[in-house]
Amino acid sequence: MSEPIRVLVTGAAGQIAYSLLYSIGNGSVFGKDQPIILVLLDITPMMDVLDGVLMELQDCALPLLKDVIATDKEEVAFKDLDVAILVGSMPRREGMERKDLLKANVKIFKSQGAALDKYAKKSVKVIVVGNPANTNCLTASKSAPSIPKENFSCLTRLDHNRAKAQIALKLGVTANDVKNVIIWGNHSSTQYPDVNHAKVKLQGKEVGVYEALKDDSWLKGEFVTTVQQRGAAVIKARKLSSAMSAAKAICDHVRDIWFGTPEGEFVSMGVISDGNSYGVPDDLLYSFPVVIKNKTWKFVEGLPINDFSREKMDLTAKELTEEKETAFEFLSSA
């Protein structure tokens, strides 16, 4: 058995965490021989609920869980972390402007970024899930100057998985037969799900998705809007936001950081845009296609970008630039 790693989940009394914690504890994320000290952080009013989650984790009798710590204190939660999964954020309420949402979250992620800077290992991998995820991630990174900005990423894997699933459903194959879809940009309705470079396995051979589907108007229309608006569709149907699928996507994202991406495959994650070759401005937290090796991601380079894609990629970059500017106004005053 290796040394235990310390893994933090914030918003640990919430519904995404409820679907996530068992998968972390049973070895499906960090491997079946990796012991874990699991740290659960939530706000003080949620501590009773969190105690219930703690009891359930104990009752799962998971051999890899060396310890579970439930707390409402940042100095306890962020100490010596190897991995921080920041799920907790201020949700959008009825009648709330996006600007108000940004302001409330800047405060949270500035504080958590500072706590990472002060207490966590410098090698910590930070994954931001709480929305607006891209800008929250950038805020946390800016507030933790001693941790490399490449260590911060935000979740767009749920969008990536949604895009894969839509293609698979349309072609009557399993999601596993579809690879190299891309989510560009913001985890919002401006995101651009791109299948120009995606491949699908049909009758044992790999074909481009455009070639396989022969339905360009669906791929440029309904497919894009379905993926962009899927989160809202789930809320409308369930009266709750995506939890099971979000937790699964977090597991995929973190597992790929830990173990790397399969040969010949790339995945989408929100990362710092510095030095990209796709004309996205530097210093944005933007979703790109990446490959991962030795816990380090690299941009997938050299993919040709057509005019349709260019327009969509620029639109979501513009939204992220505006979000960043608003957040940074609050950041200097927070």
Side-chain angles (χ1 to χ4, degrees):
M1 278 288 195
S2 28
E3 277 295 291
I5 54 171
R6 281 183 90 91
V7 179
L8 166 68
V9 176
T10 72
Q15 58 149 2
I16 292 177
Y18 194 76
S19 290
L20 172 68
L21 294 169
Y22 178 72
S23 298
I24 294 174
N26 75 4
S28 10
V29 179
F30 298 104
K32 300 289 181 192
D33 53 1
Q34 177 58 66
I36 291 168
I37 295 166
L38 191 53
V39 189
L40 312 176
L41 176 71
D42 217 310
I43 54 176
T44 312
M46 296 303 287
M47 289 314 284
D48 284 349
V49 176
L50 196 56
D51 278 338
V53 175
L54 177 68
M55 286 188 253
E56 282 208 68
L57 279 166
Q58 291 166 343
D59 299 349
C60 286
L62 294 162
L64 291 172
L65 277 190
K66 288 294 161 230
D67 195 9
V68 184
I69 299 156
T71 183
D72 56 358
K73 294 180 177 54
E74 287 184 342
E75 62 275 21
V76 176
F78 287 89
K79 186 124 190 67
D80 298 332
L81 291 180
D82 295 286
V83 179
I85 305 172
L86 309 183
V87 181
S89 65
M90 166 74 107
R92 195 167 181 172
R93 306 250 158 76
E94 282 289 323
M96 198 180 198
E97 288 295 320
R98 196 169 171 83
K99 209 167 173 163
D100 301 329
L101 185 71
L102 269 170
K103 188 175 185 174
N105 281 297
V106 163
K107 209 173 148 197
I108 296 168
F109 286 87
K110 180 182 184 179
S111 176
Q112 294 189 350
L116 282 162
D117 202 56
K118 191 170 175 184
Y119 302 111
K121 291 182 180 171
K122 298 307 170 198
S123 58
V124 65
K125 300 294 185 197
V126 184
I127 298 90
V128 176
V129 179
N131 284 319
N134 300 59
T135 301
N136 287 346
C137 188
L138 190 61
T139 300
S141 171
K142 294 282 182 194
S143 308
S146 70
I147 296 168
K149 45 187 161 183
E150 295 72 33
N151 290 20
F152 287 81
S153 60
C154 83
L155 188 77
T156 55
R157 185 59 167 267
L158 178 52
D159 310 302
H160 179 100
N161 288 349
R162 284 165 171 165
K164 254 174 94 152
Q166 286 301 312
I167 299 296
L169 283 165
K170 188 85 169 166
L171 285 165
V173 297
T174 67
N176 228 16
D177 295 326
V178 181
K179 69 174 193 186
N180 297 353
V181 304
I182 301 168
I183 303 295
W184 297 100
N186 199 0
H187 174 67
S188 75
S189 59
T190 67
Q191 62 171 272
Y192 169 45
D194 176 9
V195 290
N196 284 292
H197 313 285
K199 302 262 187 287
V200 58
K201 200 183 275 172
L202 288 178
Q203 282 99 44
K205 64 177 214 281
E206 280 195 351
V207 204
V209 165
Y210 267 84
E211 190 192 334
L213 264 172
K214 300 183 177 58
D215 189 349
D216 292 16
S217 67
W218 182 79
L219 282 171
K220 288 181 165 166
E222 195 186 328
F223 163 72
V224 171
T225 52
T226 298
V227 176
Q228 286 174 333
Q229 292 161 18
R230 187 68 159 188
V234 171
I235 291 175
K236 191 166 185 271
R238 273 194 86 222
K239 313 293 179 266
L240 290 164
S241 58
S242 317
M244 177 171 40
S245 54
K248 157 67 165 59
I250 295 165
C251 292
D252 292 346
H253 178 121
V254 178
R255 190 188 309 109
D256 284 346
I257 289 177
W258 214 248
F259 293 107
T261 46
E263 197 58 44
E265 265 187 60
F266 49 77
V267 296
S268 308
M269 53 174 70
V271 293
I272 194 73
S273 60
D274 299 7
N276 77 86
S277 60
Y278 293 106
V280 175
D282 280 356
D283 206 37
L284 286 181
L285 215 293
Y286 187 101
S287 181
F288 288 93
V290 298
V291 289
I292 305 166
K293 200 176 177 176
N294 303 326
K295 298 188 174 60
T296 307
W297 59 265
K298 283 193 171 73
F299 296 121
V300 175
E301 298 288 4
L303 299 172
I305 303 296
N306 61 29
D307 293 346
F308 179 79
S309 296
R310 181 78 266 158
E311 191 183 325
K312 294 255 187 284
M313 288 162 68
D314 290 347
L315 187 76
T316 190
K318 183 173 175 288
E319 181 182 59
L320 278 170
T321 305
E322 287 163 7
E323 266 187 37
K324 172 186 153 178
E325 284 164 3
T326 308
F328 283 16
E329 278 168 40
F330 296 137
L331 192 56
S332 49
S333 63

